[in-house]
Amino acid sequence: MERGKMAEAESLETAAEHERILREIESTDTACIGPTLRSVYDGEEHGRFMEKLETRIRNHDREIEKMCNFHYQGFVDSITELLKVRGEAQKLKNQVTDTNRKLQHEGKELVIAMEELKQCRLQQRNISATVDKLMLCLPVLEMYSKLRDQMKTKRHYPALKTLEHLEHTYLPQVSHYRFCKVMVDNIPKLREEIKDVSMSDLKDFLESIRKHSDKIGETAMKQAQQQRNLDNIILQQPRIGSKRKPKKDAYTIFDTEIGSTSPKSEQDSGILDVEDEEDDEEVPGAQDLVDFSPVYRCLHIYSVLGARETFENYYRKQRRKQARLVLQPPSNMHETLDGYRKYFNQIVGFFVVEDHILHTTQGLVNRAYIDELWEMALSKTIAALRTHSSYCSDPNLVLDLKNLIVLFADTLQVYGFPVNQLFDMLLEIRDQYSETLLKKWSGIFRNILDSDNYSPIPVTSEEIYKKVVGQFPFQDTELEKQPFPKKFPFSEFVPKVYNQIKEFIYACLKFSEDLHLSSTEVDDMIRKSTNLLLTRTLSSSLQNVIKRKNIGLTELVQIIINTTHLEKSCKYLEEFITNITNVLPETVHTTKLYGTTTFKDARHAAEEEIYTNLNQKIDQFLQLADYDWMTGDLGNKASDYLVDLIAFLRNTFAVFTHLPGKVAQTACMSACKHLATSLMQLLLEAEVRQLTLGALQQFNLDVRECEQFARSGPVPGFQEDTLQLAFIDLRQLLDLFLQWDWSTYLADYGQPTCKYLRVNPVTALTLLEKMKDTSRKNNMFAQFRKNERDKQKLIDTVAKQLRGLISQHS
């Protein structure tokens, strides 16, 4: 039962839907009935709908039949009236025929008059035709007159348009007249004249552009500089909106129409006068300075005349010649920055013009032509810059040149030219800049080192103390606790050199700006340049000071102290570079500073110079030695020269208190060894042919003075008797002779426990020979004394044994 109800409901819904579709078909336009019928076919009750449709058609047929039956009587009445009208029409026809006959009879005279009128009308038509022909000729003559006027006023493009109208519109209408044939024959001459005059205007334009390229380039570079400054401001203050006027579009700033007919645009040479314009507001666009209408007119004229290719070839050829002239640098360009600036302005001006021509004309120049010109310009410019920049010895000029090249590259990059090679070349100039900086800082370091007093910096107030500490990173709690006045351990050249190294780093950083380098590359560049400054320039300056002839021990000591503090400051230089480049020293491939090595090498050189200087001073004192080798008197005090020498050494080593312990100890040991060696040479030198025991006693006193100096510990840190070992050779030799202990020497020679282990038999024989000769000479009349004879025999015996000992061990 439920199924029956559902079927009945669906049947009612289908019937309602079919009724709606039928109403829609009756009321809808035929062209739009498709969607309605589609809805029928989409359903499943197609047969039922057709039945309803046939039923509806039968109903409409019955209604039509009823309507026709209702109006049939009216149709019959109309036919009856029509039959009555036919009779009346026949009557009217007869009346018209009668009237026409009468009219023909009465109109004969009128026909004659009409014939006369016809002749008059013919004459009138001939006159009108003549006037029309004249009216056709008059515009031709007027156009020709207009053409001549335009040629006289040098309005060549309008003249060409007039000529085109005359040739193609007016002359064909009156071509059978002789005067028109003359005009037709004259048209090629007029075209050629227009070509020649427009080419002359183009030549004037090209010449003017060549002369004013630097002004155009200068304006373009000013624009690029303004834009870069604006970008920097935006980067630094991103939230502050710029109030600068929007920059004009590079290719909408020209309002010159190609078809312009104004006398001014026709006669303009191409450069607008902007010399008196104020620069208070916005710098005019580079193309605002140029009126390109001569190029456009000439191009259009040649295009219309079918010689566009000739024009393009001529234009490109002339611009190539101008490019070669622009790219030829003046011979003195390297002398001033203005020389470089003018050179760059001309190149920028040239390519700004060409870039505008590329974008505002269709095919006069193409991208391949521009790229070819740019490649040539790039190679010649880079070659010129390499040549002329190599003459620059002023780092400030090189830095200004770099900034100018960056501006030059940025300007051309705005116009779409690739400038990577320029930035690559700047990396080459960077090396040259580093060299000029090194030369400049070489002079700075030389002046600092020459003007330094090589004395600790005295400090009398807290203000001065803070000033020095602010210039150089130095911390010493003991020094801070000391009352004023006090002294820093280093001299003034330490903070000065440290600050100059920082200034050098700043100078290197300036060059790396705007080169589009990464922080790592900048950091690497600065570190490498700073290493050159330290290892080559500063090291050389320090070495020159250390090797000066008049350098004193005090200065050398102060240099060692200074280099020690500068070596400690290297870590602060590392931190300084890290702070300005934001590249951590632990980063892979980060170059380390070689300052520690530099200052160590300088300190070692100063130490060696101290040793050499001390030895030279000792030699100078020894030159004052005046021994009487033949004296028989026994002295009781050391020689005066040696006393002075020992006093000098004591005072000198007292200055070494601030030196590292090993340096002072090495200097002291070196001085004692040199003194001992020199005394030994003095005793054994060939000029001393003879000496007496008394002279040997005096020499012994001097050696004892030296040994006492060594025992006194002039420099702390030596172990007991270590310094005395420098004189051990002399001591054993003198003890051997003064004690005449030859039996012990000869018996124990070669044994590790020998009392005279450091006495060389050759040395002992040389000294013994000198004493033997003295004994013989002084005792010539006492040779018969028994003691003297015994001593002489003993000397001979000892000498013989020494010779045997020498030959045995040789």
Side-chain angles (χ1 to χ4, degrees), residues 732-747:
Q732 291 186 6
L733 180 64
L734 290 174
D735 286 349
L736 176 61
F737 276 85
L738 293 177
Q739 296 177 12
W740 208 252
D741 194 9
W742 292 104
S743 58
T744 303
Y745 175 76
L746 293 172

Side-chain angles (χ1 to χ4, degrees), residues 602-617:
R603 187 165 65 252
H604 292 159
E607 291 170 5
E608 292 296 330
E609 196 64 25
I610 285 178
Y611 307 152
T612 304
N613 199 307
L614 270 175
N615 294 343
Q616 291 175 352
K617 290 291 185 181

Side-chain angles (χ1 to χ4, degrees), residues 141-185:
L141 296 173
E142 289 174 355
M143 290 294 289
Y144 192 79
S145 176
K146 180 181 178 182
L147 174 63
R148 301 308 301 182
D149 290 340
Q150 289 172 338
M151 294 289 288
K152 286 180 181 179
T153 56
K154 297 184 178 181
R155 300 169 62 198
H156 303 110
Y157 176 67
L160 185 62
K161 292 178 67 177
T162 303
L163 189 61
E164 291 293 320
H165 285 297
L166 184 63
E167 182 180 15
H168 299 290
T169 304
Y170 293 97
L171 284 179
Q173 299 176 4
V174 291
S175 59
H176 53 283
Y177 298 113
R178 282 187 296 173
F179 77 90
C180 292
K181 292 181 180 178
V182 174
M183 289 183 183
V184 170
D185 294 338

Side-chain angles (χ1 to χ4, degrees), residues 428-446:
E428 299 177 17
I429 295 182
R430 177 190 65 185
D431 297 334
Q432 179 188 342
Y433 176 70
S434 296
E435 289 298 323
T436 57
L437 283 181
L438 291 175
K439 291 180 181 177
K440 177 180 178 180
W441 257 260
S442 176
I444 292 174
F445 287 145
R446 184 169 58 251

Side-chain angles (χ1 to χ4, degrees), residues 370-544:
I370 294 291
D371 290 343
E372 178 191 350
L373 278 182
W374 175 241
E375 286 297 325
M376 177 186 70
L378 201 58
S379 62
K380 289 184 176 293
T381 302
I382 290 175
L385 289 175
R386 280 176 178 154
T387 301
H388 286 269
S389 64
S390 63
Y391 300 138
C392 294
S393 57
D394 181 7
N396 293 327
L397 179 58
V398 178
L399 183 62
D400 292 339
L401 173 60
K402 165 257 170 182
N403 292 330
L404 193 58
I405 293 174
V406 170
L407 179 59
F408 170 70
D410 288 347
T411 303
L412 288 170
Q413 195 171 30
V414 170
Y415 292 92
F417 295 100
V419 294
N420 291 335
Q421 293 185 41
L422 286 173
F423 284 100
D424 292 340
M425 186 209 58
L426 281 173
L427 298 181
E428 299 177 17
I429 295 182
R430 177 190 65 185
D431 297 334
Q432 179 188 342
Y433 176 70
S434 296
E435 289 298 323
T436 57
L437 283 181
L438 291 175
K439 291 180 181 177
K440 177 180 178 180
W441 257 260
S442 176
I444 292 174
F445 287 145
R446 184 169 58 251
N447 293 335
I448 290 174
L449 296 176
D450 289 345
S451 61
D452 194 60
N453 58 7
Y454 295 96
S455 300
I457 301 176
V459 182
T460 57
S461 64
E462 184 70 23
E463 182 181 356
I464 298 176
Y465 183 87
K466 290 182 178 180
K467 181 180 178 182
V468 176
V469 173
Q471 293 175 345
F472 181 75
F474 176 77
Q475 293 180 349
D476 188 342
T477 53
E478 294 183 1
L479 183 63
E480 290 177 1
K481 294 177 182 178
Q482 294 178 11
F484 293 101
K486 51 189 175 183
K487 293 182 178 181
F488 284 97
F490 47 80
S491 66
E492 290 184 355
F493 95 60
V494 171
K496 288 181 179 179
V497 167
Y498 181 80
N499 283 306
Q500 284 303 320
I501 294 174
K502 292 172 66 175
E503 289 297 325
F504 179 87
I505 293 172
Y506 274 127
C508 293
L509 181 65
K510 286 181 181 178
F511 192 90
S512 65
E513 293 174 351
D514 302 319
L515 292 187
H516 312 300
L517 299 175
S518 66
S519 299
T520 305
E521 291 173 318
V522 173
D523 182 83
D524 185 64
M525 182 201 78
I526 292 176
R527 289 177 181 274
K528 287 181 178 179
S529 299
T530 306
N531 279 334
L532 284 176
L533 178 75
L534 295 171
T535 59
R536 195 171 76 186
T537 305
L538 181 55
S539 177
S540 176
S541 299
L542 289 172
Q543 294 290 341
N544 291 336

